[in-house]
Amino acid sequence: MKDLKNIRDQFPVLNQKINGYDLVYFDNGATSQKPLSVIESISNYYKASNANIHRGVHTLSRTATELFEKARKTVADHFKVKNDQQIIFTAGTTDSINLVVNGLSKNYLQKGDEIILSSYEHHSNILAWQLWAEENGGKLKVIPLLEDQSLDYSKLEELINQKTKLIAIAHVSNTLGVITDLEKIKVLAKKNNIAVLVDGAQSAPHMPVDLEKLDVDFFVCSAHKMYGPTGIGVLYLSEKWLKDLQVSKPGGGTIKTVTFEKTEYAENALRFEPGTPHIAGAIGFAAAIDFMNAVGMQTIFEHEHELVQYAQQKMSEIPEVIVYGKSNNKAGVISFNVKNNHPFDVGTLMDKYGIAVRTGHHCTQPLMQCLNIQGTVRISFAIYNTKSEVDFFIEKLKKVITMLN
Ligand SMILES: Cc1ncc(COP(=O)(O)O)c(C=O)c1O
C-alpha cells in the first residue's frame, strides 16, 4: 500500500530545511536516501554482531556469516534468481562491470572482437570496454538514437557480425529515463550467440526486475540507488557464466585450495568476492530490498511514472524549457534545459529554494555529443517524492527562468 506520509516519515534526512525551504530531493538517480530500517540494520550489525565472516568458528563470526549469506538470499529472491550463488556482492555497478570485462578478456574476448553499446551508456559501461578494445584491437559499435531519443533498434542487426561478442546496454538511461526494449536486443543476441550484459543501475531502483524472465548473461546494479548503502552492489551471473567467467580479482576467500604452484578457485559466488567484503553493506542492502518490497516494486514504478507524466506535462507548458527523452516509455528521470542558459546556473538557483537537482553530463558525455549539448538539468524521483514537490519545483523553475532572462 502506498501511504506517502508514512513512507516519508521513514526518511529522517527529508525532514530538513535547505536555505530556509523544505528539502525537495530530486537527485535520486545519483543516489537515493535511506530509510530508518536500513540505517538501523547497519548500526545494529556493528553494535551486536560485527565479526569477519566465513571460516570463523566463534559465535559472532557465525552470526555475521549467516546475516551476510541471508542478504545474498534476499537479493536473489528479490530478482527471482533460484540459485543465490549467481548473486555476487561487489562494490557496485562500476565494479561489477569491471569484473565482467576483466574476466571475459581472459578467455572469451579475442583480439579484434566487437562489442555493441547504446548511445546513452553511462561512462561506467563504456570505459572498461574501451580500455579492453584499445589493448586488444577490439571495436566498440553504438546503437544510434531516434528523434524521440529512444534507441533505433532497426540499426542493431546491421551492427552485428561474426566478430560481435557482447551487447552491453543500460536497462534505463540515467540521463533520459528511457527504458530499453531488452526483448528486441535479446532476440538478435540469441540468434547470433552474443552475450548480453544489462546495466540495471537505473532499473533496479525503479521497476520490478525478474532475472529469470530477463534471461541475460550478466546484470549489474548498485545498492545506494535502491535505498541501500554505498559501496555495495550486485553482479548477477547466468549459470553458464558462474562456471565460465574467469577470476580476475583473486584473493583470500575466493579459493578451494592453494599451493605455491597452483590455486583451485571456489565454484560458487565466493570465487568472485576476494578479501573481506562489505558485510554491513550487504546487510543494509537486504534491509533496503525489504523496504522496497514492503512498498511493492510495481507501486514504486507507477508512482514515479505518474510523477514523470505530471512534471513533463507542466514543463511542456513552459516555452523556455526543452525536455530530452520524449519517449513515453520512461522510468523516473527527466532531463531538460532552459533555452540559452547553462544547466549549472539553473541547478545552483534551484538549490537556493532547497531543490536538489543534478546538472552536467551525468557521466554520459557521448550522449551529450549525440544531442549536441553540453549538459542538462536532471530531476529523478523516488517513492517518497510527491506531486506537491513537483508543483513547488515548477513554481520555482518559472521564477529561476525569469531571473536568468
Ligand atoms: C546507468 C548507470 N550505470 C552505472 C552507474 C555507476 O554506478 P556506481 O557509481 O554505483 O558504480 C550509474 C550511476 O549513476 C548509472 O546511472
Side-chain angles (χ1 to χ4, degrees):
M1 257 303 279
K2 192 175 79 179
D3 173 356
L4 273 188
K5 167 84 179 77
N6 174 20
I7 288 173
R8 284 183 72 85
D9 284 349
Q10 296 177 47
F11 290 82
V13 76
L14 296 176
N15 187 20
Q16 63 174 299
K17 297 218 182 278
I18 302 280
N19 297 322
Y21 293 90
D22 286 340
L23 166 65
V24 173
Y25 188 77
F26 280 175
D27 194 19
N28 297 286
T31 200
S32 63
Q33 300 300 347
K34 324 301 172 199
L36 274 173
S37 58
V38 169
I39 299 167
E40 281 163 5
S41 73
I42 295 168
S43 158
N44 288 341
Y45 164 71
Y46 281 124
K47 281 189 205 154
S49 322
N50 176 55
N52 212 329
I53 55 169
H54 301 134
R55 299 173 303 284
V57 291
H58 64 81
T59 305
L60 272 193
S61 174
R62 281 190 281 114
T63 307
T65 305
E66 262 168 41
L67 290 170
F68 184 78
E69 290 303 328
K70 195 168 151 230
R72 193 191 306 282
K73 179 89 178 71
T74 301
V75 177
D77 288 349
H78 175 72
F79 287 121
K80 311 272 188 296
V81 177
K82 287 200 187 94
N83 175 4
D84 64 0
Q85 296 305 303
Q86 290 171 257
I87 299 295
I88 317 295
F89 283 124
T90 65
T93 303
T94 306
D95 190 37
S96 299
I97 294 171
N98 276 288
L99 212 54
V100 175
V101 178
N102 294 333
L104 291 184
S105 68
K106 288 187 178 291
N107 66 347
Y108 177 72
L109 294 174
Q110 310 295 329
K111 216 171 168 10
D113 278 348
E114 297 184 0
I115 286 159
I116 297 178
L117 310 173
S118 83
S119 297
Y120 49 57
E121 289 317 305
H122 188 281
H123 295 165
S124 284
N125 201 23
I126 302 175
L127 304 193
W129 303 111
Q130 196 173 62
L131 205 58
W132 168 81
E134 279 166 12
E135 289 168 357
N136 294 279
K139 195 165 173 185
L140 303 187
K141 288 183 164 174
V142 181
I143 310 172
L145 288 180
L146 288 168
E147 266 298 295
D148 69 352
Q149 284 122 25
S150 61
L151 293 177
D152 186 353
Y153 298 98
S154 70
K155 295 283 187 314
L156 178 57
E157 197 152 16
E158 292 166 27
L159 298 178
I160 295 174
N161 63 34
Q162 296 284 323
K163 291 183 181 165
T164 312
K165 280 295 187 64
L166 186 122
I167 301 175
I169 192 141
H171 201 173
V172 171
S173 157
N174 66 303
T175 301
L176 303 171
V178 171
I179 302 173
T180 303
D181 188 340
L182 289 176
E183 285 310 313
K184 287 205 173 111
I185 307 264
K186 267 171 31 190
V187 167
L188 283 174
K190 283 208 188 300
K191 189 170 138 201
N192 293 282
N193 202 20
I194 298 168
V196 176
L197 176 142
V198 174
D199 174 351
Q202 297 294 343
S203 61
H206 302 294
M207 56 203 260
V209 175
D210 179 333
L211 290 180
E212 191 173 56
K213 273 206 202 118
L214 207 57
D215 186 24
V216 291
D217 298 82
F218 310 98
F219 181 90
V220 298
C221 62
S222 299
H224 71 94
K225 296 180 195 290
M226 305 166 68
Y227 309 97
T230 53
I232 182 121
V234 164
L235 164 59
Y236 156 86
L237 299 174
S238 66
E239 288 280 6
K240 167 186 158 48
W241 290 109
L242 179 60
K243 282 194 253 94
D244 292 353
L245 186 69
Q246 297 296 294
V247 172
S248 59
K249 216 173 163 191
T254 61
I255 56 100
K256 221 193 241 169
T257 59
V258 181
T259 65
F260 277 116
E261 288 72 35
K262 193 167 168 47
T263 295
E264 208 185 328
Y265 286 94
E267 280 162 9
N268 54 15
L270 296 188
R271 167 187 177 83
F272 301 104
E273 293 176 359
T276 302
H278 188 0
I279 305 163
I283 292 164
F285 189 9
I289 284 178
D290 288 343
F291 165 80
M292 288 195 297
N293 286 330
V295 179
M297 289 312 298
Q298 189 57 29
T299 306
I300 292 176
F301 178 75
E302 282 165 15
H303 175 69
E304 293 177 7
H305 191 70
E306 205 180 317
L307 291 180
V308 166
Q309 301 292 101
Y310 184 67
Q312 279 194 173
Q313 176 55 38
K314 300 237 157 199
M315 290 164 85
S316 72
E317 291 160 12
I318 309 174
E320 293 86 351
V321 167
I322 308 163
V323 172
Y324 304 94
K326 295 175 201 85
S327 151
N328 204 25
N329 195 21
K330 280 178 76 161
V333 176
I334 304 174
S335 254
F336 69 97
N337 269 323
V338 174
K339 279 179 200 159
N340 305 321
N341 281 285
H342 199 282
F344 183 80
D345 296 334
V346 178
T348 308
L349 287 172
M350 294 307 276
D351 183 59
K352 301 273 178 250
Y353 298 111
I355 303 170
V357 301
R358 187 145 290 250
T359 62
H361 53 66
H362 317 296
C363 292
T364 53
Q365 282 187 10
L367 173 64
M368 297 297 115
Q369 288 146 22
C370 291
L371 300 176
N372 204 17
I373 52 176
Q374 297 265 315
T376 71
V377 184
R378 181 184 75 179
I379 56 174
S380 48
F381 301 122
I383 185 65
Y384 40 69
N385 291 126
T386 64
K387 273 191 175 167
S388 56
E389 285 181 317
V390 173
D391 289 337
F392 181 74
F393 161 78
I394 294 288
E395 179 196 319
K396 296 305 173 201
L397 179 59
K398 286 180 182 162
K399 207 159 179 181
V400 165
I401 291 172
T402 314
M403 283 158 78
L404 286 170
N405 289 328

